[in-house]
Structure formats: C-alpha cells, structure tokens
Amino acid sequence: MGRKLLLQHINVPGINTLEVYRQKGGYTAVEKALKTLTPDEVVEEVKKSGLRGRGGAGFPTGMKWGFLAKPEGVPRYLVCNADESEPGTFKDRYLMTYIPHLLIEGMIVSSFALGAKVSYIYVRGEMMPQIRILEKAIAEAKAAGWLGKNILGTGYDLELYVQPGGGAYICGEETALLESLEGKRGNPRIKPPFPAIAGLYGCPTVVNNVESIAAVVPIINEGGDEYAKLGIGRSTGTKLISASGNLVKPGVYEIDLGLPVEEFIYSDEYCGGIANGKRLKAVVAGGSSVPILPANLILKTVNNEARLMSYESLSDGGFATGTMLGSGGFIAYDEDQCIVRNTWNFARFYHHESCGQCSPCREGTGWMEKVLHRLEYGHGKMADMDLLVDVSKKIEGNTICPLGDAAAWPVASAIRHFRDEFEWHVTNAAEATTRNYGLAGYADPLPELETV
Amino acid sequence: MLKVETTQTPVEFSAALLATFDDIRSRYPEGKQKSALLPILHAVQAELGWLSAAAMDKVADYLQILPIEVYEVATFYTMYFLRPQGKYMLEVCRTGPCCTVGAEKIMDHIEQTLGVKEGEVTPDGLFSWRGVECLAACGYAPVLQIGPEYTFYENLTTESVDKLINDLKAKI
Ligand SMILES: Cc1cc2nc3c(=O)[nH]c(=O)nc-3n(C[C@H](O)[C@H](O)[C@H](O)COP(=O)(O)O)c2cc1C
Ligand code: SF4
Ligand code: FES
C-alpha cells in the first residue's frame, strides 16, 4: 500500500475546517518555513524533493522557482492553476472540495519561498462551489493569523484571492490564464518572455498546478530528501490519478509513482477492474491530450516489461508505442467503446476550445473534427486516415501554445494504433452506424521480441 | 456561436451587487481594476440571468474601460449568456469520458423530456439545456450542472434526470 501524503486525512470528518485540519497537523509547514527557513531554503527543499509539475508538463517545480526574476522594487506573484479542464482530470476539484486548507497552506509556503505578497488561485468558473469553499477557508485562515499582515509575527505579509475563470479550456495554459486574470480574452502569449520574467501585470510570476502546490506541504514537513525516497527514478513522490471511463471504481487515487498500470486498473485497492465484467480495450493515461494506447501497450512496453505509472515508463517507446503521464487523467475504455467516435469527440472538443489565434490550430482542428465526423457517420474514405495524419502533422509544433499539439496527438495516435477500426468504418459504413468494432486484437499479447 | 442581444433596455444594479463590485475590485493592485471583469460579469449574470449590452456597458463604466473590452471577454468565454435563458439552464457534460458511460443518452433524454432543442428555452421560460465540455467530474459521470451556483448532479440516469426536472418544477 502506497503512502498517502495529500489524501491521508481526506476522510476525516470536518477536515475542510481549519480546526480539524489543525488537529491533524495542518499549518505546521507554514510554521516551519516561516520561522525556521529562509525563502531560498524552502526553494532548496523543493528542488531536493524532485517534485515535477502536476499540471501536465512535468517540469521540475524547484527549478521553475529558481528561474523567477527578482528585480528590486517589482512585485512578484504566485498564481495557482486551478483551471482543471483537461478531459479526464478531476483531482484538483477533489482536493479543493475536501481538503481546501492543504492548498491554502501550500500557497502560503510557496508564496513565502517566492517572495510574493499577493497570490491568486485561478479556479475555473464552473467550480463555483469550490470557489465558495476556498473563500471560506481563506477567511478562516486569515482570522487565525495564517494570512494577512505580519504572519506569525515574522514580518511576512500575504494576501490570497480566488479568481473565477469564464469557461474556457485554454485558460489552463499558463499565459492564457494570466491574460484571463488580467480581465482579457484567454489568448496565450508568445514565449519568451516566460512568466518567470514577465507574467501577471508584466511582473515575475510563477504558475503552478493545485497538486504541485499542495505537495509542497509534505515536502516541507518531511524534508525534500524524504519525499524523494518515494516513487521511482526521476518520478519522485506520490501522484493523484483521476480514474474515469469503464472502471468498477472510478475516482481519485493517490499512488506512489511507479505503481504498475495493471495493478492500478485491476487491484481492489484501486480501480477494481473493468466494469460489468467487460475487457479492457484502450487507455488514455494522462488526460485527453496524450496519445491513446491499446490495452496490450498500456499494460506492457514493447520490451515486454510491465508498464508503470511514472513519467518515464509511460513515455517508454516514445509516441510510437508509448504515451505520457500528463495530468494523470486516466480514462479506461472497454470493448464496447468506439475509438473513432471517441477520437471525433476529442477533436470536436479541441476545435471548440481553440482560441483561434494560430491558423494551423484554428483551421486544422476544424478539419479534423469534420473528417472524423464523416468517418463516424458512415461517409468516410480510405484516404481520410492519411489526411488526418497529415493535418495533425501540420498543426503539431506550428502553434503559439501546446493546445495545437494536444489536439494533434490523440488523433494521430488513434490512427497509429487503431487503424483497422477506422478502415472498418469505411469498408463497413452501414454496419458501423449500428454496432461497434469491439475488442479486435487490441488486447492480444504483444509479439515476442527476438532476443539477440 | 451565441447571437448577441443588442437591445438597449436600461438595467439597474442592486445596491448589494454594487457592493460586490467594490469588494471584487479591491483584490487587485492600483490601476489593474480590469482584472475584476470576469468575476463582476459572473455577479451580474447571477443577478440578471444574462448579460445584455446595457448591463455590459454599465460594467465598462464602473471599471473605466471601453465597452468593447467587456464585449470581447463576454463573447470569448462560454459561461456568459448573451441572450436570456431558461430559469434553469441544465448544462450536461458531452466530452469523451462522460460519453463512455452514457452522456449522449442523457442529453437525448433531456431534449425529449423538455421538448426543446439545445440552446432553446421552454415556452414556460423555466428550462434550457446545452452540452458543455468536461466539467472535471469524469469519475462521477454522467454529470450536469445548474447555475448560477453551479450545483452538480452526478452519476446521472434517465430516472434521476426526471426526478431533478420534476423537483425543479415543484420549486416554483
Ligand atoms: C491547453 C492547455 C491546457 C492546460 N490546462 C491546465 C490545467 O487545467 N491545469 C494545470 O495545472 N495546468 C494546465 N496546463 C499546463 C500549464 O500551462 C502549466 O504548465 C502548469 O499550470 C504549470 O504548473 P505545474 O508546473 O505545477 O504543473 C495546460 C496547458 C495547456 C497547453
Ligand atoms: S495553438 Fe490554438 S489555442 Fe494555442 S494559441 Fe494557437 S490557436 Fe490558440
Ligand atoms: S468528461 Fe464529463 S466531466 Fe470530464
């Protein structure tokens, strides 16, 4: 059984209140950091922990903090990314709903480390209930002296505000988020300059995911070295996985990085297997943006090694046979799911969410949606698969922000691994509108690699 | 794309709403009051049900920005209604993970039950519905939300949707 660092007390009644959260050891990280460490020492602990950004890109958090510019007399900001809109991801919502003080504690320690005196939590606007929860928790923390002026008599001042978004996936992209926080449309900015140099209001800014900031609390409490002992290799610590789709027990799980994928799906401690006694057909392991893999490739790498839930193992084999850990949005598809329909659904999503600034993304996502729609509805052509791959290649790498890549990868990977299902939609167009292709050979054992 | 309602029926904001404006504006540094725009638009929509051009102009006035700066934002984000909606707007998640467990069936059922197409308002003015993108609740799918407090309804079945609609009708 893995150690729980974030969700340890999630089921304690009243843990959403300051009182119970304190009883369970809450806010000791603030005390420790503000009273016994310098800001640079906090950054150093986070560096030692090996924590990598939990929002999707997996960039080392301590290193990112180290890049923050510190010009004299210019305010610096910490902005928490609680936009959580990546399809398949719902861990941040869970954390904020049930243990809001963990995020607030993390925000205080992180803001102290970065020298921010005003910080914002940007929450997607649809999470109005979570916004209320956070505002209440902030008021409690402030009344108890954990926020505001001269915290714990250390001379450190911090104000923390919650900012609602307006309903736009793109505002999860950090520079779009900053535009949105400035009261503008969520159009991503051209980088450089990076937010660490010019972010919110043109000032040095760090943007971090909810889970990354929450993880700072156990890192400070236990020390970066202790945290780094959990996990595997460069995938240190624990990770929240949002499990959805055709599972017996979908939900949010905290795992030690390095847990075998097979154990995660089938053991009773986690997802409990595929619902309704069906068989697993495919998995999207890290949110809708990462490549989809057939059952055989998600369970084992091409080298026939067990696939693990870690940054490295999931990306083993590159995009040819691997995928990415991404945001940890783990979507399982059973034998009754149609890959063509799912790919069309995702393409429609990305087309809808493209901000429209770059032509390859704006136009390409629209074309992919249209072509996939006609494949799904029985009007596809054999040439469509190559056409889709061609369009995806023209988007990938040619846009201002990574939404373009995020739109291209699911389509390209679906065709890479499930081409026969797409072809069947063309050759059996009428049948394809009445039944699904089924499991086919997607769970068959991988061919043995020749040993040399 | 939602059509913008351009009629200039004058609107009044309540004293409570104006107080909320001031509270929101106090969260940002001097001169950065435009940051208050999104939260203020949510507050206006919660009070009036939608954002008319007149309401947006008043917000522009309050924040000392141009009306176009408000329209730009209101048209970019999906949560802002630029036309009147039903009193209850049922927003059903239509994205991939929810569809693996029957979100499309739920939407069809709502369409049939309410007798109006996506984006339309029932003749009694009570209901509208639409598909929205992933609501970060995929593990409890299918899901829908109802503003302005964005109450969530999870693990939907056709029966639970019927009950929800009947309960809302009974509230009137
Ligand atoms: C289209 C797009 C959507 C994104 N959505 C989110 C999101 O909802 N939440 C999040 O934390 N990061 C999201 N990201 C990643 C952020 O840009 C950024 O890398 C992240 O917030 C950094 O935090 P971290 O280093 O703690 O992961 C998104 C990126 C892109 C390109
Ligand atoms: S890639 Fe797409 S979403 Fe990103 S800036 Fe370009 S058009 Fe906008
Ligand atoms: S796909 Fe419906 S909540 Fe995520």
Side-chain angles (χ1 to χ4, degrees), chain A residues 169-170 173 175-176 186-190 350 353-363 365 395 398-405 407, chain B residues 76:
Chain A
Y169 167 65
I170 191 57
E173 195 281 332
T175 60
N187 288 334
R189 298 174 181 168
I190 294 174
Y350 287 106
E353 299 300 333
S354 168
C355 86
Q357 275 192 113
C358 337
S359 326
C361 173
R362 182 185 61 239
E363 305 300 325
T365 51
I395 302 173
N398 293 320
T399 57
I400 293 175
C401 90
L403 184 138
D405 300 343
Chain B
F76 182 86

Side-chain angles (χ1 to χ4, degrees), chain A residues 88 90 93 120 124-125 129 132 163 165-167 180-181 183-186 201 246 337 341 345 348-349 353, chain B residues 27-29 32 34-35 42 72-73 76-79 94 96 99-100 104 133-134 136 138-139 149-150 152:
Chain A
F90 47 97
R93 177 181 190 258
Y120 296 94
R124 63 180 291 181
R132 302 274 179 262
Q163 177 82 359
S180 182
L181 181 45
K184 298 182 231 158
R185 297 167 74 97
Y201 310 129
N246 309 116
Q337 301 302 319
R341 189 168 186 81
N345 186 299
R348 181 194 51 71
F349 170 83
E353 299 300 333
Chain B
R27 301 171 190 170
Y28 317 99
K32 306 297 179 192
K34 190 174 168 179
S35 279
H42 283 305
E72 272 183 343
V73 161
F76 182 86
Y77 297 95
T78 56
M79 290 177 73
R94 61 172 178 183
C99 292
T100 61
E104 288 154 310
E133 303 301 345
C134 180
C138 330
E149 280 305 313
Y150 293 88
F152 261 74

Side-chain angles (χ1 to χ4, degrees), chain A residues 86-90, chain B residues 93-99 133-139 141 143:
Chain A
E86 171 89 355
T89 316
F90 47 97
Chain B
C93 172
R94 61 172 178 183
T95 315
C98 274
C99 292
E133 303 301 345
C134 180
L135 294 173
C138 330
V143 293

